Amino acid sequence: GSVVVFAVISAVLFVIMIVFSRPIAVLMQAPEEAVSLTSVYVKICGSGIFFIVAYNVLSAIFRGLGDSKSPLIFVAVACVINIAGDLILVAGFRMDAAGAAIATVAAQAVSVVFALWMLMKKKLPFKITKADFKVNSHCKRALKIGLPLALQECLTQISFLALCAFVNRLGLEASSGYGVACKIVNFAMLIPSSLMQSMASFVSQKRWSRKRKKELKTRCLLELGVGVLIGVVVFALVLLKGDLLTGIFTTDTDVIQKGYDYLKGFALETIVTAILFSMIGYFNGHDQTMWVMAQGLIQTLLIRLPLAYYMSIQPNASLTNIGFAAPVATIFGIILNIGFFVWMNKSQKVYLKKE
């Protein structure tokens, strides 16, 4: 069912990214000299969207089977190939944005092949036939639970495009610095994201047992603690040595400084996101995806974007102030989720049944 749903989504994204690549670049307010490069990057990623989506679907299938190690291997393979591709195509052949996009798509494609090979070797608790690839009741259930999360993620990514447009107003160096900073941000967010997925899977499997209620509570607090501890380490690294991190991706001193400026404002996000994502994982495990969507849209559309836009139009606009909009929105989201957690428990929305 998931394969059918995401195949359709991939087809739609393929058309949009290929046909509207240049309007998308213009909409993002990319500097004039970067519009063509941005358009090429979007087209290439659009061409490989099937691999990108398939990679994520296969990783989700393995996690659903209780195998979280295989997705880690897929990520490792993709990272190695992506880095090697960047070094060869961008640094070696000077292919700029096109080389980076090709490296990304190639990394996902190899990971998909590797994942399919492992899936075929794995002893599955069910048999897959051609007749299974059709719209069925599982597609509808997946959409019912997953559509709110998908909608939230889609709108959130659109909001990031808007944020990118705000930054682009500050010039090419600021835009480049923000792009470099985003690479570090994406890396820093990997652990909170993984803990969120782990939390959701564990909660959904254990929440129906009264006898395992204590185990559930202990596991949730443990994951929260691990996330915060790692967040503190990353916070210190980003805040104190952010210029060394941005220097890995560029030798331009101005771009390095601009990227570091953004990281200074963003740094607190590495800690508060660990708390927020743990909460989101908990609610996802309880099928409270409508709430997860609502709180995500509230903090993104009502807090982060307006604050980032306000900071970007100030006479002394800086990437540090724009970056600080992220942790402010996340802290607001934490407050919202604490309130919902209290309400959910009082309203007995958590259904725990005897084994």
Side-chain angles (χ1 to χ4, degrees):
S2 296
V3 171
V4 173
V5 170
F6 283 101
V8 174
I9 293 174
S10 299
V12 174
L13 290 175
F14 172 80
V15 174
I16 292 175
M17 295 178 73
I18 295 297
V19 177
F20 300 102
S21 61
R22 192 170 187 84
I24 289 173
V26 174
L27 183 64
M28 291 171 61
Q29 297 187 31
E32 186 176 348
E33 56 268 42
V35 170
S36 296
L37 292 175
T38 304
S39 177
V40 170
Y41 187 92
V42 172
K43 278 186 177 180
I44 295 174
C45 287
S47 300
I49 194 67
F50 294 99
F51 294 119
I52 295 173
V53 172
Y55 163 79
N56 287 281
V57 171
L58 288 168
S59 294
I61 290 174
F62 275 95
R63 293 190 188 99
L65 293 171
D67 181 2
S68 60
K69 293 181 181 179
S70 294
L72 174 62
I73 296 174
F74 305 156
V75 170
V77 171
C79 285
V80 171
I81 295 175
N82 203 343
I83 292 172
D86 284 339
L87 290 174
I88 295 172
L89 299 178
V90 179
F93 289 95
R94 304 293 180 183
M95 294 179 66
D96 298 325
I102 293 172
T104 298
V105 173
Q108 303 285 26
V110 173
S111 293
V112 167
V113 174
F114 185 57
L116 287 173
W117 175 72
M118 290 188 64
L119 188 62
M120 288 187 290
K121 289 188 63 177
K122 196 177 186 67
K123 292 184 179 180
L124 300 176
F126 49 81
K127 186 178 181 180
I128 302 175
T129 64
K130 291 183 179 180
D132 294 322
F133 293 92
K134 62 182 180 181
V135 177
N136 51 44
S137 59
H138 297 290
C139 294
K140 296 177 182 178
R141 185 174 186 276
L143 288 173
K144 181 180 179 181
I145 296 176
L147 197 57
L149 295 178
L151 179 60
Q152 177 209 349
E153 185 65 22
C154 180
L155 294 177
T156 299
Q157 293 302 322
I158 291 176
S159 73
F160 287 156
L161 294 181
L163 181 61
C164 186
F166 299 160
V167 173
N168 287 342
R169 295 157 58 102
L170 304 183
L172 183 59
E173 289 180 353
S175 178
S176 300
Y178 173 73
V180 168
C182 282
K183 291 182 180 293
I184 299 169
V185 167
N186 290 338
F187 182 78
M189 293 297 105
L190 284 176
I191 293 177
S193 297
S194 299
L195 290 175
M196 176 182 67
Q197 294 171 2
S198 173
M199 179 82 79
S201 299
F202 184 81
V203 170
S204 64
Q205 293 170 7
K206 304 295 184 182
R207 67 189 175 103
W208 300 109
S209 171
R210 289 184 185 275
K211 294 181 180 180
R212 293 177 177 174
K213 186 176 181 180
K214 185 177 180 180
E215 179 187 357
L216 175 61
K217 180 180 179 181
T218 302
R219 173 64 178 267
C220 290
L221 292 176
L222 177 62
E223 290 206 8
L224 176 60
V226 170
V228 171
L229 179 61
I230 295 175
V232 170
V233 174
V234 177
F235 167 79
L237 183 62
V238 168
L239 187 63
L240 301 177
K241 299 295 181 179
D243 53 339
L244 295 180
L245 297 176
T246 54
I248 295 174
F249 300 94
T250 179
T251 57
D252 190 313
T253 55
D254 290 332
V255 174
I256 291 174
Q257 185 57 47
K258 291 295 183 181
Y260 187 24
D261 289 343
Y262 181 82
L263 291 176
K264 288 177 184 177
F266 181 88
L268 182 61
E269 179 79 348
T270 60
I271 299 176
V272 294
T273 293
I275 300 174
L276 179 66
F277 278 19
S278 294
M279 291 180 167
I280 291 176
Y282 180 84
F283 291 131
N284 284 340
H286 284 291
D287 292 346
Q288 297 290 343
T289 55
M290 286 297 294
W291 164 252
V292 172
M293 178 187 72
Q295 64 85 34
L297 296 181
I298 289 172
Q299 61 168 302
T300 300
L301 301 181
L302 299 185
I303 304 297
R304 184 174 186 177
L305 277 184
L307 183 57
Y309 176 73
Y310 175 77
M311 294 298 186
S312 70
I313 61 174
Q314 298 305 303
N316 58 340
S318 71
L319 287 178
T320 301
N321 292 337
I322 294 176
F324 190 64
V328 170
T330 299
I331 292 172
F332 183 79
I334 291 172
I335 295 172
L336 286 178
N337 280 287
I338 291 175
F340 182 78
F341 177 78
V342 173
W343 175 85
M344 186 175 72
N345 283 339
K346 287 184 177 180
S347 303
Q348 297 181 342
K349 292 295 184 181
V350 180
Y351 299 103
L352 296 173
K353 298 183 178 180
K354 293 183 179 180
E355 289 182 310

